[in-house]
Amino acid sequence: MGNSFGKMFAVTSFGESHGSGIGVVIDGCPAGLPLIKEDIQQEVDKRKPTSPVATTRAEAEEVEVLSGVLEDYTTGAPICLFISNRDVDSSPYLRDRFLPRPGHADYTAFMKYGGFNDFRGGGRFSGRITAGFVMAGAVARKLLARLGVDILAHTVEIGGIKAGTKEVAEIKRNVAANPLRCADLKAAEEMLKLLEKVKAEGDSLGGVIEGMALNVPVGLGQPVFDTLDGELAKALFAVPAVKGVEFGAGFSVAGKKGSENNDPLATEEGRVITITNNAGGILGGISNGMPITLRVAVKPTASIARSQRTVDLQKMKGAELEVKGRHDTCIVPRAVPAVEAVMAITLCDFALRARLIPEVLP
Amino acid sequence: MGNSFGKMFAVTSFGESHGSGIGVVIDGCPAGLPLIKEDIQQEVDKRKPTSPVATTRAEAEEVEVLSGVLEDYTTGAPICLFISNRDVDSSPYLRDRFLPRPGHADYTAFMKYGGFNDFRGGGRFSGRITAGFVMAGAVARKLLARLGVDILAHTVEIGGIKAGTKEVAEIKRNVAANPLRCADLKAAEEMLKLLEKVKAEGDSLGGVIEGMALNVPVGLGQPVFDTLDGELAKALFAVPAVKGVEFGAGFSVAGKKGSENNDPLATEEGRVITITNNAGGILGGISNGMPITLRVAVKPTASIARSQRTVDLQKMKGAELEVKGRHDTCIVPRAVPAVEAVMAITLCDFALRARLIPEVLP
Amino acid sequence: MGNSFGKMFAVTSFGESHGSGIGVVIDGCPAGLPLIKEDIQQEVDKRKPTSPVATTRAEAEEVEVLSGVLEDYTTGAPICLFISNRDVDSSPYLRDRFLPRPGHADYTAFMKYGGFNDFRGGGRFSGRITAGFVMAGAVARKLLARLGVDILAHTVEIGGIKAGTKEVAEIKRNVAANPLRCADLKAAEEMLKLLEKVKAEGDSLGGVIEGMALNVPVGLGQPVFDTLDGELAKALFAVPAVKGVEFGAGFSVAGKKGSENNDPLATEEGRVITITNNAGGILGGISNGMPITLRVAVKPTASIARSQRTVDLQKMKGAELEVKGRHDTCIVPRAVPAVEAVMAITLCDFALRARLIPEVLP
Amino acid sequence: MGNSFGKMFAVTSFGESHGSGIGVVIDGCPAGLPLIKEDIQQEVDKRKPTSPVATTRAEAEEVEVLSGVLEDYTTGAPICLFISNRDVDSSPYLRDRFLPRPGHADYTAFMKYGGFNDFRGGGRFSGRITAGFVMAGAVARKLLARLGVDILAHTVEIGGIKAGTKEVAEIKRNVAANPLRCADLKAAEEMLKLLEKVKAEGDSLGGVIEGMALNVPVGLGQPVFDTLDGELAKALFAVPAVKGVEFGAGFSVAGKKGSENNDPLATEEGRVITITNNAGGILGGISNGMPITLRVAVKPTASIARSQRTVDLQKMKGAELEVKGRHDTCIVPRAVPAVEAVMAITLCDFALRARLIPEVLP
């Protein structure tokens, strides 16, 4: 259970890291959206490990469109997208099957599924699962583009090194040009140096990703439970390693007065705006038309080469573990497209719930 | 839409701040749970404004059980719980109907519902809505108690003043004895002083609440989308004024190495534990049997007496607003029972999904 | 579980026959619909027992609007509607608590809820539950009226006596004027005579209700699973005593050839129609713009005065039962408004899913 | 939307008749179920056209397991099953793209999806879609077998020829041995003769399928809306060409008295049974432990060779159509496994909702 997300744009995830492949079914995509394989491939390719501190697993990640598209247009039927796994090496996992990696889902998955879970490469708990999110996100983005909505995420912190604030145009430009997906190129250089050092120590680093959605219409969100922030947060926690989500001023509100934190309202070109955006574009669980801004805490990669204390689940006694496998020293940069994808999926679902996208596109 | 939460323990919220009352329907509560009105009243009473900086609205908040209980036991039918509103004064709202309060949902609600929304006292966006959460939470807690699960929240920061770390027993003792629901009594004193000062300035303060769930069984959570952390976060964002949610080490993971952040595993009395709990009791979206720990950022009350810039939505031009009404200087203490309630509802739903609670209680 | 229906127009039912009352929460009703108590009362009053063979329980059935309406317009918030129970006599049920009535849900409810179910007056399994459906249906009808959709049900068979076919206008006129809600007044007279005879024998009768929806837009229904016929059928089986549902030619298709059953297409005033309507207005789970026609089999009232064989569930041995209480000899006429109501709810949900009704009504 | 069914055993359908293939994702299958491709292939093979009056489309229908199974056991992760399409000939559909077949979903699909729908071979509205139901049903059956539940469907009427009543053992034996899946071999012979005659006339026939579920535990079903009969009916209407569903005595209740229709209760081997089974095993939407019996009306194949009146949707004027393609003269026999499959899926979902199947199988 729990592998579907969205009410009107419903995404169902399937597949495992070392199984046949990774897939997703999208139910609710309106008919008449131009959609070719390359639209999706292009987003998936953003996940490719390009930095010197990323995994050496080399997946072609070629997208197949198994249903829901005819003559390069969506048909209104469920769209199944699939990527076959190719470069799989399950040997380290077979050896350490009963030695859960500290900080990883190995132990909880083993317990929940009685040891039947696909443990190879983390199975369902691998970051590779986000390839499915990214495929669905590619479709969601195309739909949102119809409304003018633009979604953007970037690395703002790794291992304590913080990126400076940049304008949107600069972020877009620099993120694409940068293996760490950080808009502050000077900070990115420092981050990379630190990552290389930490990699040599057999260790890993965490960080923070900022997500933004621009030109979001006023009125998205269905409180009291299906709030825009609540659903975005839920979707973001589906990205492995996320430990915190905050909107606008986030946790800094704890030290603020109302007079500082409240965003004054004003009019601009006939519409209402706020002078500041401490709300991060969301009030009462509903978008207010200002940019949605959120920040996501990503923990350091759990799989590290250094020796760690664990428990042998067969013998139920303590053991030492050195994780082999091919792991990213920091997954933050590769989580950036996943953050964008789940933001897109969530916003698309709310746009459909608000009837902003018809059943058949014009 | 969006007023129901939970798949097996489904809570539907209704009611407004200044309408007939606040209600909730619980669908999925097993039959055979002893339940009397007082069980629920007792939790609801925790919401009562007791501090000198809280609202002066004096609601009796008397719970009525409208369905689902026979001879003091749940019947397996939906349980409807209702609190009538009594001490209502809508006059300030009538006057300022078209002047949205900065930082409040007035503007987004107006836009989403075309001005038809119940604006009196914030309507559906009032903190008063959480009375419904607390009623449902009271039932959830009784069910969770069967599994030994204990849920606890407390104020850990107000206006930049942080509470010191305390043991669970001390937290329980002090929270009840303290209008700010803060376990560090010395810090609570300072907080209160600051609140009185800020109140005199016509201003307000934010803070942080910590939530804990103890004795949670291993295996709660339904990844990849219905993760335990994701659903808890979604539920917490239903509590008005929440701007961030983090689990375990939370945002501090951004500055940590994997070797620091990974919680080493060990055995204790025949079960697996972790030596530290940076994971906050959740790995891969599934509980690992350690205490669930989370922190919630609560923004300062939006309704402040100080003059603020807003927009007159009828004339579509700038205006000044001084919010009258009866508002808490800081809603953190009164949000504490709401945090506990939504945690209980979420955990109860997952316990049911994991078949840990039968359809008929023994 | 299972007390909510609808995805965009979500109806949650609560309450029991002999409890505090019967209620319903509607989540998803757009803002800006004019709605006063009388709109709902008027539909509820159709349920009143008026025939000489109906129950003598005399309920005022006064509707209360507990939320979701402000200044006689819907607000977009959940609408809670409630009817208090007044004329309750639980004594016969207390006596026969462990003697399940043959043909009634007494036994299954006892088993499913471990004997904790509210058995008084059938509890959740009473026809009285449909008062909640009718309240929600009243709101759905008002929304559907905006699209020109008209819903109509009437008795077409009781105890083997079949009504002749009538035009829509005649049906409307006669149904209202007739305690059996049968459009064929001559047949109705015979039915009444038969019912009086059967009542005297301490027995009961079943029948058939026909439901129609006129002016339904083309395109309602969400196959493959959320078909228009499938969801209508599911909703109709929520009406107690329904044992079969068929659309258009229904079971008679078993004896037909394709050339007889296929409805030829033609154009009329610029739109496509079918010459016949064996499809009952639904093809492939989607409305085709022709009238939706369906027929519902309603079993004879299970509660009869004649002695019947049952089992004493405490002693687990055979017993005889003569049902006392105040029961309709035939529930068909009083199920007619319930059929209309669940049809309206279902169609309204699909109209919302098809984005035919905006979030805020113009 | 609408391509998922089930709350705890959630089945998502995708694929088209002439696209890449037909697939299904099952979310909620417990871990630890032994499952190999052959388990599913065996059920899928029952759909094979074997009678002389069936389609000549020759599909290998080879099942692929794309996820959710490791070392021949289910893992608890979503199971994706897929059948590639091979023997596809879309030419007749390309020619008649704008000439909707009377009695078919061509017109409604065209309208709902704005002409973007995959029209080739009926696309999503082809009987071929039921291959996905059958794959999911195969898994559901294996789970239900753990509870002893046995599901069985057979042809009881074609073109007005009715099969005689048979015992369960005889039904099982004869259905497998018989291209029409009719347990009355003599009637089957007559049916076949009639079918050959009708086929020669370029026409088609409808019929009735009976479904049974044996050894169903007491207590399945979640009233008031998620009744066992309601959900079964909804699932059955997902099978193309179904126009009616009835349970137990079904529509015949209209002519019965309560004293005839009520099933007297008795005890047998320490449990409660009913002497007759007019209820079809369901009372108040909940199983009573007796066999579930239902009947499904299946209309004659809409695609017939005889000339029919239709409308050219491009020119919006009348036209004549002779359907080419390869169509079954009667789809009743090939719908039999689909009926079994959706019954299994529905019952499995309810068994899970009733916590009768754990998250990990023992």
Side-chain angles (χ1 to χ4, degrees), chain C residues 112 203 219 243 259 279 308, chain D residues 112 203 219 243 259 262 279 308:
Chain C
K112 184 171 186 73
D203 218 326
K243 295 305 285 183
S259 58
Q308 298 180 89
Chain D
K112 184 171 187 74
D203 218 326
K243 295 305 286 184
S259 59
N262 288 346
Q308 297 179 91

Side-chain angles (χ1 to χ4, degrees), chain B residues 95-141:
Chain B
R95 201 190 48 210
D96 296 337
R97 181 165 186 173
F98 299 102
L99 298 178
R101 288 167 285 174
H104 206 283
D106 291 344
Y107 171 66
T108 52
F110 182 91
M111 293 298 285
K112 184 171 187 72
Y113 304 112
F116 289 105
N117 60 301
D118 190 342
F119 59 91
R120 302 166 306 165
R124 285 294 286 164
F125 299 88
S126 162
R128 193 158 165 66
I129 294 307
T130 63
F133 304 172
V134 170
M135 289 192 283
V139 179
R141 289 180 93 130

Side-chain angles (χ1 to χ4, degrees), chain A residues 2-3 108 112 159-160 203-204 219 221 224-226 231 234 243 245 247 254 257-259 262 265 270 279 283 302 308 316, chain B residues 2-3 108 112 159-160 203-204 219 221 224-226 231 234 238 243 245 247 254 257-259 262 270 279 283 302 308-309 316:
Chain A
N3 292 286
T108 51
K112 184 170 188 74
D203 217 327
S204 64
V224 294
F225 290 118
D226 296 355
E231 291 281 22
K234 178 179 160 178
K243 296 305 286 182
V245 174
F247 293 85
K257 293 182 180 172
S259 58
N262 289 345
L265 287 90
L283 283 171
Q308 295 179 91
M316 272 304 278
Chain B
N3 291 285
T108 52
K112 184 171 187 72
D203 217 326
S204 63
V224 295
F225 289 118
D226 295 357
E231 291 282 22
K234 177 178 161 179
K243 295 305 284 183
V245 174
F247 293 85
K257 292 181 183 173
S259 58
N262 288 346
L283 283 171
Q308 297 179 90
R309 281 180 63 185
M316 272 304 278

Side-chain angles (χ1 to χ4, degrees), chain A residues 6-350:
Chain A
K7 216 159 176 173
M8 294 282 284
F9 185 82
V11 170
T12 299
S13 161
F14 66 91
E16 294 90 9
S17 182
H18 288 204
S20 300
I22 300 290
V24 75
V25 181
I26 303 165
D27 192 15
C29 181
L33 179 73
L35 190 70
I36 53 172
K37 206 180 78 165
E38 286 66 32
D39 293 326
I40 299 147
Q41 191 68 53
Q42 174 188 319
E43 289 295 313
V44 166
D45 288 348
K46 290 190 189 165
R47 290 185 70 256
K48 284 219 171 132
T50 51
S51 92
V53 291
T55 176
T56 56
R57 179 170 173 182
E59 280 291 358
E61 297 214 321
E62 200 187 322
V63 174
E64 284 177 83
V65 180
L66 294 183
S67 70
V69 176
L70 177 68
E71 298 166 352
D72 297 343
Y73 282 87
T74 59
T75 62
I79 302 169
C80 182
L81 304 170
F82 191 68
I83 293 173
S84 292
N85 290 330
R86 309 261 183 230
D87 181 22
V88 166
D89 173 13
S90 303
S91 52
Y93 299 94
L94 291 163
R95 202 190 48 212
D96 295 337
R97 181 164 185 174
F98 299 101
L99 298 179
R101 286 167 285 175
H104 206 283
D106 291 343
Y107 172 65
T108 51
F110 183 91
M111 293 299 284
K112 184 170 188 74
Y113 303 111
F116 289 105
N117 61 300
D118 190 343
F119 59 91
R120 301 167 307 166
R124 286 295 286 165
F125 298 88
S126 163
R128 192 155 165 70
I129 293 308
T130 62
F133 304 172
V134 170
M135 289 192 284
V139 179
R141 289 180 94 130
K142 286 205 74 170
L143 286 167
L144 288 170
R146 297 274 172 135
L147 303 175
V149 178
D150 194 11
I151 288 166
L152 184 63
H154 57 119
T155 301
V156 294
E157 184 177 342
I158 285 180
I161 301 169
K162 289 177 203 214
T165 310
K166 303 285 163 189
E167 292 299 309
V168 167
E170 197 175 351
I171 295 172
K172 285 190 181 179
R173 200 166 49 238
N174 290 354
V175 161
N178 184 307
L180 297 187
R181 301 203 164 268
C182 175
D184 178 342
L185 297 180
K186 219 169 113 46
E189 244 173 82
E190 284 176 61
M191 290 172 184
L192 199 55
K193 257 183 236 158
L194 180 60
L195 282 167
E196 278 162 352
K197 181 170 159 289
V198 164
K199 185 185 183 176
E201 295 165 2
D203 217 327
S204 64
L205 288 176
V208 176
I209 294 168
E210 184 180 67
M212 279 182 290
L214 309 172
N215 302 321
V216 175
V218 186
L220 299 194
Q222 302 284 350
V224 294
F225 290 118
D226 296 355
T227 60
L228 181 50
D229 28 6
E231 291 281 22
L232 279 168
K234 178 179 160 178
L236 287 161
F237 279 106
V239 178
V242 169
K243 296 305 286 182
V245 174
E246 60 177 14
F247 293 85
F251 274 87
S252 77
V253 295
K256 286 191 170 158
K257 293 182 180 172
S259 58
E260 293 164 331
N261 189 60
N262 289 345
D263 301 307
L265 287 90
T267 55
E268 189 184 75
E269 293 169 25
R271 57 191 274 276
V272 174
I273 58 153
T274 61
I275 306 297
T276 51
N277 188 17
N278 287 316
I282 305 176
L283 283 171
I286 299 169
S287 62
N288 69 355
M290 297 299 292
I292 290 173
T293 60
L294 56 85
R295 289 158 54 90
V296 179
V298 179
K299 72 180 181 189
T301 316
S303 303
I304 57 174
R306 291 178 63 164
S307 178
Q308 295 179 91
R309 282 180 65 186
T310 185
V311 166
D312 183 316
L313 294 174
Q314 274 187 311
K315 304 180 187 154
M316 272 304 278
K317 57 178 224 177
E320 287 292 316
L321 176 70
E322 286 170 38
V323 182
K324 301 291 186 255
R326 298 167 294 179
H327 302 284
D328 298 83
T329 306
C330 177
I331 62 150
V332 172
R334 296 188 64 208
V336 166
V339 164
E340 290 182 348
V342 299
M343 287 180 71
I345 292 166
T346 308
L347 287 166
C348 187
D349 189 46
F350 278 117

Side-chain angles (χ1 to χ4, degrees), chain B residues 208-248:
Chain B
V208 176
I209 295 168
E210 184 180 68
M212 279 181 289
L214 309 171
N215 301 321
V216 175
V218 186
L220 299 194
Q222 302 285 351
V224 295
F225 289 118
D226 295 357
T227 60
L228 181 49
D229 28 7
E231 291 282 22
L232 280 168
K234 177 178 161 179
L236 288 162
F237 279 106
V239 178
V242 169
K243 295 305 284 183
V245 174
E246 60 178 13
F247 293 85

Side-chain angles (χ1 to χ4, degrees), chain D residues 64-201:
Chain D
E64 284 177 84
V65 180
L66 294 183
S67 69
V69 177
L70 176 68
E71 298 166 352
D72 297 343
Y73 282 87
T74 59
T75 62
I79 301 168
C80 182
L81 304 170
F82 191 68
I83 292 173
S84 293
N85 290 329
R86 309 258 183 232
D87 182 21
V88 165
D89 172 14
S90 302
S91 53
Y93 300 94
L94 291 163
R95 201 190 48 212
D96 296 338
R97 180 165 186 173
F98 299 102
L99 298 179
R101 287 166 285 175
H104 206 283
D106 291 344
Y107 172 65
T108 51
F110 182 91
M111 293 298 284
K112 184 171 187 74
Y113 304 111
F116 289 105
N117 61 301
D118 190 342
F119 60 93
R120 302 166 307 165
R124 285 295 286 165
F125 299 88
S126 162
R128 192 156 166 68
I129 292 307
T130 62
F133 304 172
V134 170
M135 290 192 283
V139 179
R141 290 180 94 130
K142 288 206 73 172
L143 285 167
L144 288 169
R146 298 272 172 138
L147 304 174
V149 178
D150 195 12
I151 288 166
L152 186 61
H154 57 120
T155 302
V156 293
E157 185 176 342
I158 284 179
I161 302 170
K162 289 179 202 215
T165 310
K166 303 286 165 189
E167 292 299 307
V168 167
E170 197 175 349
I171 296 172
K172 285 189 182 179
R173 203 167 46 238
N174 291 354
V175 161
N178 185 307
L180 297 187
R181 302 204 163 268
C182 174
D184 179 343
L185 297 180
K186 224 172 107 47
E189 247 173 80
E190 285 177 61
M191 290 171 184
L192 199 54
K193 258 183 239 158
L194 181 59
L195 282 167
E196 279 161 353
K197 183 171 157 284
V198 164
K199 185 185 182 174
E201 295 166 2

Side-chain angles (χ1 to χ4, degrees), chain B residues 48-69:
Chain B
K48 284 218 170 132
T50 52
S51 93
V53 291
T55 176
T56 56
R57 180 171 171 180
E59 280 291 357
E61 295 215 322
E62 201 188 321
V63 175
E64 283 177 86
V65 181
L66 294 183
S67 69
V69 177

